[in-house]
Amino acid sequence: MKSNINNIFGGMQALLAFAGALAIFGVILSSGLSSCSNENAENSSDSTSMEVKDSVSLINTQMDETEKQMARMKINVEQPVFDEESGTYSLKTTIANGSSDMKYHFQLLLPFEDKVVAESDNGEFTQIPPSPDKEGWAYRVVVKAEKDGKIVETAENQATGFIYQEKVDKKMTVAQLQSLIDKRDPDLLGVGESKYLSPELKLVFKGMTKDDIEPQIMQEVFDKLDFEVWKAAKVTNMKYDSMNRICEITFQVVH
């Protein structure tokens, strides 16, 4: 009996020793896994840090390029001035972000091809004919910067407002204009379409309600009539400029 008890007690001791060994092995294994996990975390942290540094470097590079782009030479273009006697225009242009050690040469080109219309060394042009582009009435302005006999930079901009204009012998009457409006004549639309209308045409309205939005161009008058916002727009008065063109129209609005 005593021998059996000793055997049982010995077995329990062996079992406890085995369990202790397993526990120690688990701690070692856990420690190893934890160490591996920390190493991966450190590697991941290093990788993230490198990605952030790369992103910052890319942003700085992009900012540098943007600053360079903003600092590049540009052309400022003023509104062309029309001369009634010659029927031509003068134009002034200047350089933005230029350099004093550069020599500049300006050219005025046709809107759709590289044909030179006029040239200048100071950015000023005279006796420019109306543009052949009857949609935009524009020219292209190109400037070339030269240093040590070499062209180092070029810039281009658009100059608009070179409208064909002519003096009319006989002024258009109120009745004639009203007839064209009633027919929605397309010659009344756009700028430079009709020789009888000034490019600086002003529209004046009477009889509008507080909800009316005042038209700025003739197309908007046509829209009001076509969509029956207004029943009629009667021309009551007109003013003329020095070239006998209509420069102001007064309408009486009928709702």
Side-chain angles (χ1 to χ4, degrees):
M1 181 73 177
K2 184 176 180 181
S3 175
N4 290 338
I5 292 172
N6 289 334
N7 288 336
I8 293 171
F9 182 75
M12 290 180 65
Q13 283 183 321
L15 184 62
L16 288 172
F18 180 73
L22 285 177
I24 293 170
F25 178 76
V27 169
I28 294 172
L29 180 62
S30 174
S31 175
L33 290 175
S34 175
S35 175
C36 180
S37 176
N38 287 339
E39 183 178 352
N40 288 337
E42 289 174 3
N43 289 339
S44 175
S45 176
D46 290 343
S47 176
T48 303
S49 178
M50 289 296 294
E51 289 177 2
V52 170
K53 289 179 180 177
D54 289 343
S55 298
V56 171
S57 177
L58 178 60
I59 291 172
N60 288 336
T61 301
Q62 291 174 340
M63 289 179 66
D64 289 342
E65 285 300 318
T66 301
E67 289 172 357
K68 288 178 182 177
Q69 184 69 31
M70 292 176 65
R72 285 175 184 165
M73 179 176 64
K74 293 180 176 61
I75 310 172
N76 295 325
V77 180
E78 297 184 11
Q79 187 68 21
V81 178
F82 181 68
D83 178 63
E84 291 185 16
E85 286 190 19
S86 64
T88 62
Y89 289 86
S90 60
L91 176 69
K92 289 185 178 182
T93 65
T94 55
I95 294 293
N97 302 329
S99 176
S100 59
D101 61 347
M102 299 283 190
K103 181 180 179 181
Y104 299 101
H105 184 67
F106 299 78
Q107 292 180 324
L108 203 66
L109 306 180
L110 289 177
F112 305 120
E113 58 181 292
D114 292 335
K115 182 178 179 180
V116 178
V117 177
E119 298 185 83
S120 170
D121 288 328
N122 61 3
E124 297 184 10
F125 301 90
T126 58
Q127 296 183 328
I128 307 167
S131 171
D133 171 23
K134 294 185 178 180
E135 293 293 329
W137 301 109
Y139 284 110
R140 293 156 52 210
V141 182
V142 174
V143 62
K144 298 178 181 179
E146 183 180 308
K147 186 176 182 180
D148 299 328
K150 295 181 180 180
I151 297 174
V152 295
E153 194 170 3
T154 62
E156 182 174 328
N157 201 352
Q158 189 179 58
T160 60
F162 295 90
I163 305 161
Y164 177 75
Q165 305 185 54
E166 62 177 303
K167 185 174 182 177
V168 295
D169 297 328
K170 194 173 182 180
K171 297 177 181 179
M172 181 181 287
T173 65
V174 169
Q176 288 172 327
L177 178 60
Q178 186 68 62
S179 176
L180 294 176
I181 292 172
D182 293 341
K183 292 187 296 184
R184 312 291 193 268
D185 194 304
D187 283 348
L188 299 180
L189 305 178
V191 178
E193 295 294 328
S194 173
K195 65 180 182 180
Y196 294 97
L197 300 181
S198 167
E200 289 81 34
L201 178 65
K202 180 182 178 182
L203 305 181
V204 179
F205 300 90
K206 294 183 179 180
M208 293 179 63
T209 66
K210 64 179 182 178
D211 296 325
D212 274 332
I213 299 175
E214 186 172 303
Q216 301 299 313
I217 56 176
M218 197 66 73
Q219 179 63 65
E220 293 174 352
V221 176
F222 287 1
D223 291 343
K224 295 275 191 183
L225 298 171
D226 290 338
F227 290 105
E228 299 182 349
V229 177
W230 296 345
K231 291 182 179 179
K234 300 295 183 182
V235 179
T236 59
N237 189 45
M238 297 191 306
K239 292 182 181 179
Y240 303 85
D241 62 13
S242 60
M243 298 176 69
N244 293 331
R245 303 172 303 181
I246 303 169
C247 61
E248 183 176 302
I249 304 172
T250 301
F251 290 95
Q252 178 65 46
V253 176
V254 179
H255 288 88

